[in-house]
Amino acid sequence: MTILVTGGAGFIGSNFVLDWLRQSDEPVVNLDALTYAGNLENLASLQGDARHTFVKGDIGDRALVDRLLAEHRPRAVVHFAAESHVDRSIHGPGAFMKTNVEGTFTLLEAARAYWGTLADDARAGFRFHHVSTDEVYGSLKPEDPPFAETNPYEPNSPYSASKAASDHLVRAWHHTYGLPVVTTNCSNNYGPYHFPEKLIPLMIVNALAGKPLPVYGDGQQIRDWLYVTDHCSGIRAVLAGGRVGETYNIGGWNEKANIDIVKTVCALLDELRPSPEGSYARLITYVKDRPGHDRRYAIDARKIERELGWRPAETFETGIRKTVQWYLDHPEWVARVQSGAYREWLDKQYG
Ligand code: NAD
Ligand code: DAU
């Protein structure tokens, strides 16, 4: 038995691969294009581990995907590969359409062709697990209930529109061709190996460098935060026991305003790495808002709890402390991801 993971050198994908191989001997073939967000260093502990095969390549390369499926004969595809950053999608939506929409289409077609060659038992057991986001549901008002799986899709950014499109393709490939798919829609993740263009790692990295902590608009936008290994355990639960054709929302019941997240990060750094210049909160700087900025996301995770008994293991308090500590313990990782490409992005976004 083998699984094919796409995007396994990114933030969530690498956490998933590491977690998977900590808990199982089932091999992983990891297909990743190593864009700016892919980092093989995340997987350094697997060097020489025969259970992990890394392949540098694009999910949009049909011949490559066909070859990998034929050679490794996986029982499942777990599809993380995507362009994932909302701000980048606003500056340049093309790459999001290419990977998230066209790439997912190519992967689905390759999976469908491969699945069609399997014997009955293997066909029934095969899964295409599509990893998606809560952003497809749009933005909640303060009084709205959290997103359930039955909420209509109302994506607002080029990123969320591209993910919504990919979710629809996955749904259609099940409905029309019978491909055994499951989709998970998860809220904001945080934890080790998170690329420092996203809110939490950016705040940690900037604070330690004595740089401004850029808070968009009034900082009162709400996100529902989940520690990354809890997302990974949710995916494993759905892959193992989720009903074919269904979607499952995954979230941590942790709604927080951005400004409170930033203040929490500052308070933890004040405790763990005090600055002689005073609290890191002095660096908080309100900047121009993100265009089309969604005000609030929140996940109703009762379906995955009820059907599969999944619950997050971390609270926000335990998860954020571990995360800040991880960045303090890995300055060399941070230094290396701050490559030329990343510096160019910071200049473009923040001036
Ligand atoms: P990430 O940007 O950190 O990693 C994406 C990975 O995909 C990188 O390793 C990159 O090299 C790879 N990749 C990009 N284009 C590719 C292509 N064409 N072919 C092969 N590989 C390619 O993203 P992430 O935060 O780890 O997110 C992973 C998945 O989870 C995405 O599908 C995202 O939409 C979804 N998601 C993310 C979050 C979150 O909070 N980060 C929450 C819910 C869902
Ligand atoms: O909800 C799940 C989504 O969470 C995933 O699908 C995306 O891939 C992931 O990037 C994330 O999207 P967000 O846009 O919510 O994450 P980001 O870290 O970019 O921003 C979190 C919030 O913080 C958002 O309201 C914007 C705000 N923000 C972000 C940055 C980078 C700031 O105020 N300042 C910043 O500099």
Side-chain angles (χ1 to χ4, degrees), residues 154-203:
E154 292 177 351
N156 290 319
S157 72
Y159 163 69
S160 55
S162 70
K163 290 297 291 188
S166 67
D167 291 12
H168 291 326
L169 293 177
V170 170
R171 178 190 158 87
W173 260 240
H174 172 64
H175 194 79
T176 302
Y177 304 113
L179 187 70
V181 307
V182 280
T183 295
T184 45
N185 294 85
C186 189
S187 61
N188 285 63
N189 285 214
Y190 66 102
Y193 306 117
H194 205 181
F195 196 80
E197 64 184 352
K198 310 279 169 63
L199 181 72
I200 290 180
L202 183 72
M203 296 300 142

Side-chain angles (χ1 to χ4, degrees), residues 205-241:
V205 166
N206 274 15
L208 290 172
K211 292 184 178 161
L213 308 181
V215 173
Y216 296 163
D218 64 2
Q220 294 300 330
Q221 302 81 8
I222 290 173
R223 298 292 182 265
D224 183 349
W225 294 92
L226 182 70
Y227 192 66
V228 62
T229 51
D230 281 327
H231 186 185
C232 296
S233 72
I235 292 170
R236 285 198 305 274
V238 171
L239 188 59

